[in-house]
Amino acid sequence: MPDFKTSPGTRDILAPHSARWRAFQEVFAKTVESAGYNYIIPPMFEDLDVFLRLGEATEVVTKEMYDFHDKGGRHVALRPEQTASVCRAFVEHRPVTPWKVWYSGPNFRYEKPQQGRYRQFDQVGIEALGVDDAFLDAEVIALASMFYSALGLNHVELSINTLGDGGDREAYSNLLAKYFSKHESSLTAESKATLTRNPLRVLDSKREPDQEIIAGAPAIRESISKQSADHFAAVLSALDALNISYKINDRLVRGLDYYRRTTFEFVSTALDAAHTAIGGGGRYDGLVEALGGPATSGIGFALGLDRTLLACDAEGVFAAPQTDVDVFVVDTVDGTHAHDLCHQLRANGFSADRAYDLRSIKAQMKSADRSGARVALIIGSDEVANSTIMLRPMGSGEQYVVSRKDIFNELKKVLK
RNA sequence: GUGGGCGUAGCUCAGUUGGUUAGAGCGCCAGGUUGUGGUCCUGGAGGCCGGGGGUUCGAGACCCCUCGUCCACCCCA
């Protein structure tokens, strides 16, 4: 057994999976950059206070933060998500609005790991600040939907809800608190605990005994302002205009405290594990203000890399891309010919690998096979004497002699 | 944080009611084939049986603790 392993909830992403991750990020970048979103790279840690603004009923902040004191005595925390950082960056740099950015990178939450849930986990996402227009809500959702399609996913469902503005949300929360308190004796112990922290989140309970009471709970739409209701209706009709199907779920309450008005979630119906939510987002109109900036509306989403890739596995789509080299050079003379030729191949736009330690031709051919290269170039004493190279297309069982000076042209033909 | 399953070779896993030097398949290395991989044959390397303590003449197996991992809850991506 090795002396060291990765820390709990972390892991090494090795090939070929690592290539898939990179491809995932590239597909995402292409999708959102087509809509004018610019790449932002916020730091991975911030002053703890930045994240505390996410709200004291947000467990991500209260229970799961990776925080520590640095050598300068600052109390900092690894980011549990990136929306807060983006809003902090907005306040710090005051860019012209609308400010549309996208990000990709790891977040950290101190949780008990299980499938689809890690302590270091990657998300990609977008944030758009400074615009209140319902068309923006629909654009943001449409981009997520486009991205899923680009990956090849077909079994992703969109749930959508509105939580009303800040005042509506609070009024609704109080209403729910009253309702659930009345039925407290029938609730599970877990839900009772949730009730004292954040009544909205009781709606999220998956426990069977709670379901009946949740079903009878008042819906947000009964206590929502006209303005919020109009906004929501506008978002829905903008989605309809793009033929994006959705399910209105008036029990959809998301875990982060800052959500206002439009909230949405993407669920993979191809997954049957506990974690079928592969992405989610919504409006967070008060967050910039909470971070000391001007009142600024904002909306965005975050998609989990792992869970989305699990969904891809379940649907059998988006395989890892090929990263094999074009050519494998076998040198049975002394290794210098492979050394020179590989270098020249790479300089001329071919990818090339070789064997080391002057092993037997058999061993080198085995390495060539394993490398996945489409062509083996073999150099032995005959080839050196005649300034030629033996070119062997792997898998063909055939090979032929090529003059050393013609090798690049010949490879271009063979590899095209 | 709570509950349960599982930790044996690089990987996937056998290992009988506790009984000598712990096995298989795959992978890896070498040879069969002094210039040839992907098939085949032969051989080889590689294990503090997750760690610590205990029971026993004797523990990979049983007990306790601990760490890791998986699953569910919680929470969320």
Side-chain angles (χ1 to χ4, degrees):
Chain A
M1 285 298 129
D3 287 340
F4 295 105
K5 291 191 208 175
T6 55
S7 206
T10 70
R11 70 265 200 244
D12 303 309
I13 313 290
L14 305 178
H17 205 51
S18 52
R20 202 180 183 206
W21 273 52
R22 203 175 57 186
F24 184 99
Q25 288 160 337
E26 280 162 11
V27 171
F28 186 75
K30 213 174 155 198
T31 304
V32 295
E33 285 183 347
S34 79
Y37 289 75
N38 289 310
Y39 187 38
I40 181 172
I41 310 174
M44 287 193 210
F45 61 87
E46 303 252 4
D47 284 342
L48 177 69
D49 286 343
V50 170
F51 303 118
L52 293 182
R53 295 296 190 278
L54 295 173
E56 53 191 30
T58 304
E59 298 210 354
V60 162
V61 171
T62 54
K63 285 169 56 180
E64 300 169 0
M65 197 90 86
Y66 259 107
D67 64 314
F68 58 98
H69 293 273
D70 71 10
K71 291 183 198 299
R74 284 171 287 264
H75 197 177
V76 297
L78 302 181
R79 63 185 183 205
E81 53 117 61
Q82 297 183 56
T83 304
S85 294
V86 169
C87 289
R88 194 230 71 240
F90 178 83
V91 174
E92 188 168 331
H93 304 288
R94 291 300 190 84
V96 172
T97 57
W99 194 49
K100 306 207 290 188
V101 296
W102 72 271
Y103 58 78
S104 169
N107 304 312
F108 306 86
R109 295 181 193 172
Y110 194 88
E111 297 186 278
K112 192 150 174 175
Q114 61 182 254
Q115 186 180 60
R117 193 177 75 181
Y118 301 93
R119 288 183 178 172
Q120 177 180 328
F121 64 102
D122 266 61
Q123 288 182 328
V124 295
I126 62 175
E127 310 292 350
L129 295 171
V131 174
D132 211 46
D133 195 332
F135 285 121
L136 178 62
D137 300 44
E139 173 186 292
V140 164
I141 291 169
L143 285 171
S145 169
M146 274 178 69
F147 174 60
Y148 290 133
S149 299
L151 292 177
L153 290 170
N154 286 311
H155 301 282
V156 177
E157 281 183 359
L158 165 63
S159 292
I160 190 166
N161 190 23
T162 182
L163 296 173
D165 60 33
D168 299 341
R169 184 183 161 125
E170 205 180 325
Y172 182 50
S173 186
N174 291 335
L175 196 65
L176 279 177
K178 214 173 286 176
Y179 170 80
F180 284 126
S181 299
K182 207 163 58 189
H183 299 275
E184 195 171 347
S185 54
S186 321
L187 287 173
T188 59
E190 290 89 344
S191 287
K192 279 182 211 165
T194 306
L195 179 55
T196 60
R197 275 203 317 275
N198 186 347
L200 281 173
R201 304 223 21 96
V202 177
L203 292 177
D204 255 358
S205 165
K206 282 176 283 186
R207 291 169 292 273
E208 197 47 47
D210 295 329
Q211 295 311 311
E212 197 182 326
I213 297 159
I214 290 169
I220 177 74
R221 264 169 303 168
E222 292 157 22
S223 51
I224 203 175
S225 68
K226 166 102 171 50
Q227 225 174 356
S228 292
D230 289 349
H231 182 87
F232 190 51
V235 172
L236 297 183
S237 79
L239 289 173
D240 291 336
L242 301 180
N243 277 320
I244 293 174
S245 55
Y246 53 82
K247 270 194 210 158
I248 296 173
N249 176 2
D250 59 15
R251 298 296 185 249
L252 177 66
V253 180
R254 298 189 41 77
L256 293 157
D257 227 16
Y258 52 61
Y259 283 116
R260 300 287 180 272
R261 298 197 285 177
T262 312
T263 60
F264 54 90
E265 191 166 275
F266 294 95
V267 169
S268 167
T269 53
L271 291 173
D272 54 6
H275 301 120
T276 55
I278 57 175
R283 281 205 165 268
Y284 41 87
D285 294 336
L287 188 53
V288 169
E289 222 174 336
L291 285 161
T296 307
S297 58
I299 181 167
F301 65 68
L303 315 181
L305 244 84
D306 282 289
R307 291 191 192 175
T308 306
L309 287 176
L310 285 173
C312 287
D313 289 340
E315 293 199 32
V317 299
F318 198 64
Q322 271 288 348
T323 56
D324 296 337
V325 291
D326 300 322
V327 178
F328 196 95
V329 179
V330 172
D331 174 349
T332 58
V333 180
D334 58 5
T336 61
H337 307 283
H339 187 64
D340 293 343
L341 185 55
C342 277
H343 188 70
Q344 286 175 41
L345 284 164
R346 293 163 189 160
N348 280 275
F350 300 98
S351 57
D353 200 1
R354 57 165 296 187
Y356 304 93
D357 297 329
L358 198 62
R359 302 211 293 156
S360 70
I361 185 166
K362 178 172 174 157
Q364 291 194 48
M365 284 305 295
K366 211 166 175 179
S367 298
D369 190 43
R370 210 164 22 222
S371 76
R374 287 155 64 197
V375 170
L377 296 179
I378 301 160
I379 304 172
S381 43
D382 292 355
E383 285 76 15
V384 171
N386 302 323
S387 290
T388 56
I389 292 172
M390 187 66 80
L391 190 157
R392 182 179 178 91
M394 299 300 279
S396 70
E398 287 160 18
Q399 60 187 23
Y400 53 94
V401 175
V402 180
S403 164
R404 177 71 180 77
K405 63 182 178 357
D406 296 332
I407 193 65
F408 292 154
N409 284 332
E410 184 62 25
L411 280 174
K412 266 178 215 155
K413 268 191 278 174
V414 175
L415 291 170
K416 73 163 186 312

